Amino acid sequence: MTRRRWTRTPATSKGPAGCGGCDYDLRGIPVGGRCPECGTVVPEPPAAPAVDRGRPDHRDSGLHVVAACQYLAIIPMSGLLLPGCAGPTLGVISVFGPVGRLVALRSGWRRSPLREIEPEGLGPLLHRLAAVETCFAVAYLAVIIGLLPDLAAFPILTAYAVMATISVSVTNFRLSRIFDGWEFQLPALLARLGFGAGCLAGLSTITIIAVWIARPNPDITAMLGVIGVAFGIITSLLAVFAARDGIGRVEAVLITDLIEAHAEEIGREPIPLADRFRSPRVSDPLPIEPERPPVRKDLE
């Protein structure tokens, strides 16, 4: 029994379509093969031109992590952590929000080149808010796991919910001030709407706390609690979405400015926004079979 020997087919040529000796169409002929007309060896395809895509560390700013972690602020802002609303599972999940923002700002933003061109005071403001909110979140986590007495549970929980509301509202207010100078007014309008929604979410949380302390009637307390939590979820969702959208817009603008400034420094044209993070690709795939040139009528 004979063993069949398999050979690997060499890669097809992606170089110039015409032969250098006779202009024969070489598409589909493997690299290293020969032209059927003149016998010229098919050369290697030319290397793709070098494309400068800005400084390589502009994606490590951490702002995208800060923007994503904003969504976890919905849990304390909406009043879901108050007694009788939800268990400690949501509380543990919500702690990852401020902690993730603080870690992202400390590890990425401090050494990011975007920090050099940031809007004045935005980075330090986000860092301070995340640090204070992290303190209350860690204290609430200590209550959940039993490191602090039960008497401190309600004050710490209330302070954590109020601080989360203040953090999102202040972030939206600062973003609205930044977007005031833009020609496109939708970001500023959305940030103002988020600031108002954050204030309403805070009032809803305070109302739920007041009702829970007063306890006028079990039925009334339960009804007002459900209404307050539902209203808090809607308003906090709007406020958090506005903060996340605003931070994402600021990061996109900073990256654009950084790449354009870097392109001017090295004397190259800036890459269009749609092509900044794409690798160059071959637009026209090569056919498997080579196309034969037309036969000249005078040679028939």
Side-chain angles (χ1 to χ4, degrees), residues 62-142:
L63 287 182
H64 57 285
V65 178
V66 175
C69 290
Q70 289 287 342
Y71 283 115
L72 294 178
I74 297 175
I75 299 175
M77 285 180 62
S78 59
L80 289 174
L81 298 183
L82 296 177
C85 294
T89 304
L90 290 178
V92 174
I93 295 175
S94 68
V95 172
F96 288 96
V99 173
R101 285 156 43 205
L102 183 62
V103 172
L105 290 170
R106 281 185 172 274
S107 60
W109 183 251
R110 287 189 172 183
R111 61 173 182 268
S112 173
L114 300 182
R115 187 180 179 184
E116 302 172 2
I117 56 176
E118 66 162 331
E120 184 178 358
L122 179 62
L125 175 65
L126 294 177
H127 185 271
R128 287 193 294 267
L129 292 174
V132 176
E133 189 177 349
T134 299
C135 295
F136 288 104
V138 172
Y140 175 69
L141 184 62

Side-chain angles (χ1 to χ4, degrees), residues 127-190:
H127 185 271
R128 287 193 294 267
L129 292 174
V132 176
E133 189 177 349
T134 299
C135 295
F136 288 104
V138 172
Y140 175 69
L141 184 62
V143 171
I144 292 178
I145 62 180
L147 296 179
L148 293 178
D150 295 337
L151 294 177
F154 187 72
I156 292 177
L157 188 151
T158 303
Y160 175 37
V162 172
M163 185 59 212
T165 305
I166 293 175
S167 176
V168 175
S169 300
V170 172
T171 301
N172 280 317
F173 179 76
R174 183 69 182 93
L175 290 172
S176 66
R177 299 293 298 272
I178 294 174
F179 296 148
D180 280 339
W182 289 23
E183 296 181 0
F184 188 48
Q185 294 297 321
L186 181 59
L189 179 62
L190 184 60

Side-chain angles (χ1 to χ4, degrees), residues 6 20 26 31 45 55 61 127 208 235:
W6 297 94
L26 298 178
V31 175
R55 298 170 67 172
S61 64
H127 185 271
I208 296 175
T235 53

